[in-house]
């Protein structure tokens, strides 16, 4: 029998979906569901395409009780700006969890991924950062650097933000954008060690393949969220930092072993603390996170399929038949 498929463009999604506490709560519930069990989330299908200076990730998850499940295709082709094209694009397809029929196609060009990734950073900050954050820092100067700070500010409303990047001009531009968006003091800093020393919350948002944050920079009362190591070979955090942290938390241990910061610590033979906690377990209270104000905490976000299913089902439930309906 024919059925209608909803098609929503990036422009429509940008009008309908914003980075707010509602979306953060949606992503938090997805992590909690992952901790409860019953979720079907296969390993990420990841293709590195060095000949094209590109990569492609495919993620999905079935969450019991959710009306649908999403399959997300996320290409990144990093020579595209030279061609006048964006580096990142992609789409999400939402299927009925009852019939398997396609319900929605979100032609988001990575927008929903950006939103759910930033929301995950806020969830990590909500459960692991100190209750009071005066200064936050971000290492990285791209779209996600801006979104991570906006999301973190929703759950830990800091008064000052520091920005570091390899290109100081881009760091200054990022700081200016955050000052305007958040209405707080913002400063670009050339020394990442200074940024970490003056911050209680730091997010790394780079594609680095060598650490941009050193273990000996860590200090009591610091929380770090690392979200750039989402493919094998990437590494933002000094592996020794994982050992020094009072709590090291993964979004999904099996993923972090393959492509997160845990991979580098295992390869260096440094990780000896057993199975790390997962963020959903910390949310559920079955594993400890921050125990005292002076703890050092570190969260490793590689990006999970439950986040994609959660944001896609949220969009469909909230906005119904918005977009174009196509009979298939």
């Amino acid at each position: 029998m024919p059925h209608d498929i909803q098609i929503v463009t990036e422009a429509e999604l940008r009008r309908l979906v914003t980075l707010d506490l509602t979306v953060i709560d949606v992503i938090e519930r997805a992590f909690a569901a992952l901790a409860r069990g019953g979720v079907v989330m296969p390993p990420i299908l990841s293709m590195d395409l060095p000949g094209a200076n590109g990569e492609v990730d495919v993620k999905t998850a079935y969450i019991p009780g959710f009306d649908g499940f999403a399959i997300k295709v996320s290409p990144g082709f990093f020579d595209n700006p030279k061609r006048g094209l964006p580096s990142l694009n992609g789409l999400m397809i939402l299927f009925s969890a009852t019939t398997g029929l396609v319900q929605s196609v979100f032609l988001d060009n990575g927008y929903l991924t950006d939103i759910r990734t930033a929301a995950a950073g806020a969830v990590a900050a909500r459960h692991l950062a100190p209750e009071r954050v005066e200064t936050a820092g971000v290492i990285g100067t791209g779209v996600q650097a801006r979104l991570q700070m906006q999301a973190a500010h929703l759950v830990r409303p800091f008064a000052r933000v520091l920005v570091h990047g390899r290109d100081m001009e881009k760091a200054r531009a990022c700081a200016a954008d955050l000052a305007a968006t958040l209405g707080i003091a913002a400063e670009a800093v050339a020394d990442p060690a200074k940024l970490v020393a003056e911050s209680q919350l730091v997010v790394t948002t780079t594609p680095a393949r060598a650490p941009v944050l050193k273990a000996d920079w860590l200090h009591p009362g610091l929380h770090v969220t690392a979200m750039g190591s989402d493919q094998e070979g990437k590494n933002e955090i000094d592996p020794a930092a994982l050992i020094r942290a009072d709590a090291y938390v993964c979004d999904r241990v099996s993923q972090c072993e393959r492509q997160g910061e845990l991979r580098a610590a295992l390869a260096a033979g440094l990780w000896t603390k057993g199975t790390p906690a997962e963020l959903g377990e910390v949310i559920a209270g079955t594993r400890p996170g921050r125990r005292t104000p002076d703890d050092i905490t570190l969260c490793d976000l590689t990006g999970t399929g439950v986040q994609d299913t959660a944001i896609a089902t949220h969009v469909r439930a909230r906005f119904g038949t918005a977009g174009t309906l196509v009979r298939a």
Side-chain angles (χ1 to χ4, degrees):
M1 293 287 292
H3 71 285
D4 289 334
I5 298 174
Q6 176 190 44
I7 299 178
V8 187
T9 66
E10 178 188 358
E12 291 168 322
L13 288 165
R14 285 183 179 274
R15 288 196 298 269
L16 297 173
V17 185
T18 58
L19 180 56
D20 57 19
L21 285 170
T22 298
V23 169
I24 292 167
D25 290 343
V26 165
I27 298 305
E28 180 175 282
R29 288 194 292 270
F31 281 119
L34 194 56
R36 286 195 299 270
V39 169
V40 179
M41 191 170 74
I44 298 169
L45 171 61
S46 185
M47 265 195 326
D48 189 22
L49 304 172
N53 191 20
E55 60 190 37
V56 183
D57 287 337
V58 180
K59 299 180 181 180
T60 186
Y62 167 85
I63 306 175
F66 277 54
D67 293 335
F69 64 92
I71 296 178
K72 191 266 296 289
V73 182
S74 181
F77 280 65
F78 304 109
D79 290 336
N80 277 0
K82 301 173 187 175
R83 304 180 175 97
L85 298 170
S87 296
L88 303 177
N89 60 92
L91 74 162
M92 291 188 186
I93 306 170
L94 183 67
F95 298 82
S96 166
T98 302
T99 67
L101 294 175
V102 175
Q103 294 180 320
S104 302
V105 178
F106 299 125
L107 303 173
D108 69 313
N109 289 315
Y111 176 67
L112 293 180
T113 295
D114 284 340
I115 293 296
R116 64 78 149 151
T117 301
V123 173
R126 176 184 274 170
H127 290 276
L128 293 167
E131 285 295 326
R132 185 169 182 177
V133 175
E134 294 289 342
T135 299
V138 61
I139 299 177
T141 59
V143 170
Q144 196 56 221
R146 291 162 167 82
L147 289 176
Q148 286 287 339
M149 289 295 98
Q150 292 172 34
H153 193 261
L154 290 170
V155 298
R156 292 292 189 274
F158 44 85
R160 176 175 177 245
V161 62
L162 304 178
V163 181
H164 170 77
R166 292 176 299 177
D167 185 325
M168 280 301 294
E169 184 175 340
K170 290 181 178 178
R172 284 189 286 269
C174 182
D177 286 348
L178 288 170
T181 302
L182 300 177
I184 63 174
E187 178 187 349
V189 295
D191 182 3
K194 170 183 165 67
L195 178 149
V196 175
E198 297 185 14
S199 300
Q200 296 83 51
L201 166 64
V202 173
V203 183
T204 57
T205 68
T206 75
R209 292 180 177 268
V212 297
L213 191 152
K214 304 296 185 183
D216 59 8
W217 299 350
L218 301 180
H219 58 82
L222 175 67
H223 170 69
V224 177
T225 294
M227 51 73 56
S229 185
D230 57 358
Q231 287 225 334
E232 292 183 22
K234 291 183 178 180
N235 177 210
E236 294 186 296
I237 308 298
D238 180 351
L242 277 62
I243 309 305
R244 186 172 172 189
D246 296 290
Y248 164 69
V249 177
C250 299
D251 55 1
R252 188 64 159 175
V253 170
S254 58
Q255 287 187 187
C256 292
E257 288 174 337
R258 293 180 55 197
Q259 55 212 42
E261 301 302 333
L262 182 57
R263 179 201 59 79
L266 289 169
L270 294 177
W271 184 258
T272 58
K273 294 186 175 183
T275 303
E278 293 189 347
L279 183 54
E281 295 174 320
V282 174
I283 294 166
T286 58
R287 295 286 297 272
R290 174 173 294 276
R291 299 172 193 259
T292 75
D294 287 337
D295 275 1
I296 298 168
T297 54
L298 199 162
C299 190
D300 192 352
L301 299 179
T302 55
T304 62
V306 293
Q307 294 165 246
D308 298 311
T309 285
I311 192 74
T313 53
H314 167 68
V315 170
R316 182 172 174 89
R318 183 171 179 182
F319 300 109
T321 58
T324 302
L325 293 179
V326 176
R327 182 58 59 93

